Amino acid sequence: MASEKPVVVYPPAADGGRRVRVDGQFLGIAYGPLDIAEFLRRAGIEDADEAYVAATRLIEWRGGGPEAWGTDQDGDFA
């Protein structure tokens, strides 16, 4: 996969998972940055890791950035 293809990470669902799409194709549900890194590696970005996920401008984060996963104890998104 060429790195210019858009990556979209959607807002967390009730279970904390976030849908991930690359170039419009659904790759899976991520439950943390490590999951996104694995999806990107499978898509051809071999150097993807948690630091890459947090820093790259390739990813469009919707509903919070790489730190937003699931809900806190009050039911608010963390």
Side-chain angles (χ1 to χ4, degrees):
M1 175 185 103
S3 62
E4 62 272 357
K5 292 185 179 178
V7 178
V8 179
V9 178
Y10 291 87
D15 68 354
R18 299 179 76 168
R19 291 178 295 139
V20 180
R21 290 185 177 271
V22 174
D23 199 27
Q25 180 179 355
F26 176 72
L27 295 184
I29 304 290
Y31 291 91
L34 193 58
D35 291 335
I36 295 174
E38 181 59 25
F39 292 149
L40 295 178
R41 282 193 296 270
R42 291 179 187 179
I45 301 175
E46 296 174 10
D47 59 346
D49 60 14
E50 288 181 274
Y52 178 90
V53 168
T56 186
R57 293 179 183 222
L58 175 67
I59 298 173
E60 176 187 338
W61 295 94
R62 296 184 182 175
E67 71 289 338
W69 299 94
T71 59
D72 65 17
Q73 304 224 357
D74 296 324
D76 297 324
F77 284 106

